[in-house]
Amino acid sequence: MPRLRLDPAVAHAFPDTRIAVLTVTGLRGREPWPGTDAALAELERGLADGSRRPADETDPRIEAWHAAYRSFGTNPRRSRPSVDALGRRLVKRGTLPRIGPAVDSYNAVSVRHGLPAGAFDLDRVTGDITIRHADGGEAFTPLGEPGTVEHPAPGEVVYADGAGVLTRHWNHRDAHRTRVTEESARVLFLLETVRATRDGHLLDAAAEELRGLLAAHADRVGVQFLGPEHADVLV
């Protein structure tokens, strides 16, 4: 069973980090997910009738991630935090992408609560996963670009396993290798804040909402929390 770790250097640089870690087994991605369909439709209706708009870069939740990105050398307007990019896409197009029910679920929860989210297929992960600063020698193949190899800059915060980088710029973009598909049965879902003192209640609510969407289509959903004081969990 792999472990998920928050490297001490990242914990020191971002001491108010808190990450909800949902480990799901027996996921059934090919059956109908009406709860997720309804969550997406609610967000899109809210945008259309003016009752809801996603958090943008003037929102403290997004501002905090922009500041974090700049601190490790990433321009957040060139490589945006995932929740920022999703919100902008919703405003521009009026809809969120339909990728697959598991991915659609965390996208809906991410936008609703203004928190970055992501996921890895655990059957494609090699060894333990660590949230750490890149050393500049790692390889990363972006989602949807299996022929591309990038090398994160030294100091950039990444998720990495024994075979390479799983997410660049902390939560900007996931790797192709560990992508979640409708066939994925063991999946690690993540929701994140770097301002837990202020936004911890939002993280708790988002984790519970995502757990509810997933539980109807899985054998088991376990929820844990990772942070500087509890920086190592089994997944």
Side-chain angles (χ1 to χ4, degrees), residues 46-64:
L47 179 70
D49 66 21
S51 62
R52 177 184 292 274
R53 285 186 67 85
D56 60 21
E57 60 187 57
T58 67
D59 186 287
R61 291 166 292 180
I62 307 299
E63 285 181 338

Side-chain angles (χ1 to χ4, degrees), residues 203-222:
L203 187 73
D204 292 342
E208 180 58 26
E209 183 176 333
L210 182 56
R211 187 205 63 78
L213 292 174
L214 298 170
H217 309 283
D219 294 342
R220 180 181 178 277
V221 181

Side-chain angles (χ1 to χ4, degrees), residues 125-169:
V125 169
T126 301
D128 295 337
I129 303 169
T130 305
I131 306 166
R132 60 174 176 80
H133 293 104
D135 61 24
E138 303 92 344
F140 173 79
T141 295
L143 180 65
E145 299 181 28
T148 300
V149 177
E150 300 175 357
H151 299 284
E156 180 185 317
V157 175
V158 299
Y159 279 79
D161 69 359
V165 171
L166 307 182
T167 304
R168 285 202 64 183
H169 310 289

